[in-house]
Amino acid sequence: MKHLRPALLGLVSVAYPLLVYFGLGRFEPRWMALPLAMMAVVRAVATKEKVWLATAAGALLLAASSMLGNHALPLKLYPVLVNAVLLTVFATSLAFPPSLIERLARLREPDLPPSGVAYTRRVTQVWCGFFVLNGGLALGTALWASDATWALYNGLIAYGLMGLLFAGEWLVRRRVRARHAHG
């Protein structure tokens, strides 16, 4: 059960845009705010980390706003919140090293050379840029696009772009490591 909760939370979070899109066609926004509120409560109970507690509080505010006003916009702003939180986490790690990507890299390679530290810092900066761009597009689709466009971008395209960034970084890392291995 301990491992099931984070997996279920992750699955619901990933599927959130599609759940909202299909749900809004059948239910009022105030009722569609309930899954967001439940996700926030589960996230708050499952963590002691301040950043995820703040995320849960933000999600609860969005859910409450949707419930009280019976508006869909607060529901559509959740991906913006997630991108803002991730940007904050990554950017904070740049201001207070080691960077988040360096911390992850050191799990596999504890004695990361200075070139690796510089590379992981650059990758963290790239992710910050991604979260700015992705969050901006999430905001734009929430404010000005149709529900279908919002769901398509936030429920599919954004994940595809994230996958491309992961794959692209993996390819670049292989070339960088090969270049450093050969001097």
Side-chain angles (χ1 to χ4, degrees):
M1 183 69 168
K2 189 176 185 179
H3 298 291
L4 183 61
R5 187 174 25 194
L8 187 58
L9 182 61
L11 180 63
V12 172
S13 295
V14 167
Y16 176 81
L18 299 175
L19 294 172
V20 169
Y21 174 70
F22 290 115
L24 286 175
R26 291 162 181 76
F27 305 102
E28 291 183 345
R30 71 174 40 107
W31 297 111
M32 289 308 302
L34 289 175
L36 179 57
M38 290 185 327
M39 273 188 351
V41 169
V42 169
R43 177 165 280 133
V45 169
T47 188
K48 290 182 174 93
E49 294 181 43
K50 290 179 185 177
V51 69
W52 299 118
L53 289 173
T55 304
L60 278 174
L61 284 173
L62 290 173
S65 177
S66 184
M67 284 177 189
L68 293 173
N70 200 29
H71 297 293
L73 180 60
L75 300 175
K76 293 167 63 175
L77 292 175
Y78 179 68
V80 179
L81 171 68
V82 170
N83 278 278
V85 167
L86 291 172
L87 172 61
T88 301
V89 169
F90 278 67
T92 300
S93 78
L94 289 170
F96 302 99
S99 71
L100 185 64
I101 302 298
E102 179 184 342
R103 290 178 206 167
L104 294 173
R106 285 188 184 277
L107 293 174
R108 290 191 71 184
E109 193 173 335
D111 297 325
L112 196 64
S115 61
V117 172
Y119 177 80
T120 56
R121 182 170 183 78
R122 176 63 66 193
V123 172
T124 303
Q125 291 168 342
V126 168
W127 275 104
C128 286
F130 174 82
F131 293 128
V132 168
L133 177 67
N134 195 51
L137 288 168
L139 179 61
T141 60
L143 294 175
W144 300 299
S146 68
D147 289 349
T149 301
W150 173 83
L152 177 64
Y153 181 78
N154 292 284
L156 182 65
I157 295 172
Y159 295 120
L161 293 173
M162 201 177 302
L164 284 174
L165 183 53
F166 271 118
E169 188 279 324
W170 181 78
L171 290 171
V172 169
R173 184 175 359 123
R174 288 176 50 99
R175 291 183 71 191
V176 168
R177 289 184 86 154
R179 189 176 320 133
H180 284 353
H182 293 101

